Amino acid sequence: MIREVLRMGDARLLRISRPVEAFDTPELRELVSDMFDTMRSLNGAGLAAPQIGVDLRVVIFGFASNPRYPNAEAVPETILINPVIEPLDDDIEEGWEGCLSVPGFRGVVPRHKRLRYSGFDLQGQIIDRRVADFHARVVQHECDHLDGILYPMRVRDFSRFGFTDVLFPGQVVDDD
Ligand code: NI
């Protein structure tokens, strides 16, 4: 079921989410299914449970290609529960981000270029990956949602923050 995506300003987006304690339950399966329906309906690259008002540490992300990020590498479709992120070095890279909770805007955000992330899938099996570039960026963006952080809070240079259609005229037709 497609759910309403909360927009920035809603206090529920600022909560610290709770860890999932039981895996492979009907409730958790329904949550993840709703998150995929919602993300796909909006061509999102990822979605975190708090964005649909659920304060659990669950994120989803991944796509083969994405019209909102036409130049991005493919990222495997992933359900990541109770994630932990560990930067692999000190390299920081700037890149454009958007968010379904901040529709119509884009901004440049500094993120760790390489990281290891771990967590659990829907069945409670361990996920442990080392990734870089856009994959690493998406994971950091989505996991930030679990701690009440929206990407504009990480923008340092507001000369590179603005309306998507003004920043990138004639480019991608955005849903947000
Ligand atoms: Ni977001």
Side-chain angles (χ1 to χ4, degrees):
M1 187 176 77
I2 295 172
R3 306 268 292 263
E4 183 193 354
V5 176
L6 306 183
R7 288 176 303 144
M8 191 174 185
D10 191 306
R12 289 172 288 178
L13 288 169
L14 302 177
R15 294 184 293 195
I16 309 290
S17 296
R18 298 177 290 118
V20 169
E21 289 173 355
F23 293 89
D24 211 13
T25 63
E27 295 78 14
L28 192 59
R29 278 196 295 272
E30 186 179 0
L31 169 64
V32 168
S33 170
D34 285 357
M35 287 172 67
F36 273 109
D37 290 346
T38 304
M39 180 178 84
R40 289 183 181 127
S41 76
L42 298 168
N43 288 323
L47 192 73
Q51 293 182 273
I52 58 169
V54 176
D55 68 329
L56 287 172
R57 303 187 81 79
V58 178
V59 302
I60 63 168
F61 51 84
F63 50 86
S65 69
N66 187 308
R68 294 178 78 240
Y69 297 93
N71 301 317
E73 71 205 74
V75 174
E77 196 165 88
T78 302
I79 300 159
L80 186 63
I81 299 171
N82 299 349
V84 175
I85 287 178
E86 179 191 327
L88 290 176
D89 54 43
D90 293 332
D91 269 16
I92 302 289
E93 194 168 64
E94 295 188 321
W96 288 95
E97 295 187 18
C99 180
L100 298 177
S101 292
V102 193
F105 289 89
R106 290 293 167 92
V108 168
V109 183
R111 298 282 188 189
H112 293 287
K113 183 174 170 61
R114 280 173 287 271
L115 55 83
R116 174 187 181 183
Y117 68 87
S118 58
F120 301 91
D121 70 10
L122 196 46
Q123 283 75 39
Q125 302 290 313
I126 290 172
I127 295 170
D128 189 341
R129 293 177 181 156
R130 285 171 167 75
V131 301
D133 304 316
F134 194 71
H135 190 158
R137 176 171 299 279
V138 169
V139 172
Q140 289 169 91
H141 176 115
E142 297 312 328
C143 291
D144 262 358
H145 278 294
L146 306 180
D147 293 323
I149 299 168
L150 297 158
Y151 85 84
M153 300 174 183
R154 294 201 184 274
V155 169
R156 292 190 191 149
D157 174 5
F158 276 91
S159 71
R160 290 181 295 165
F161 177 85
F163 291 99
T164 310
D165 60 339
V166 178
L167 285 162
F168 307 108
Q171 275 198 25
V172 189
V173 178
D174 251 356
D175 289 294
D176 66 6

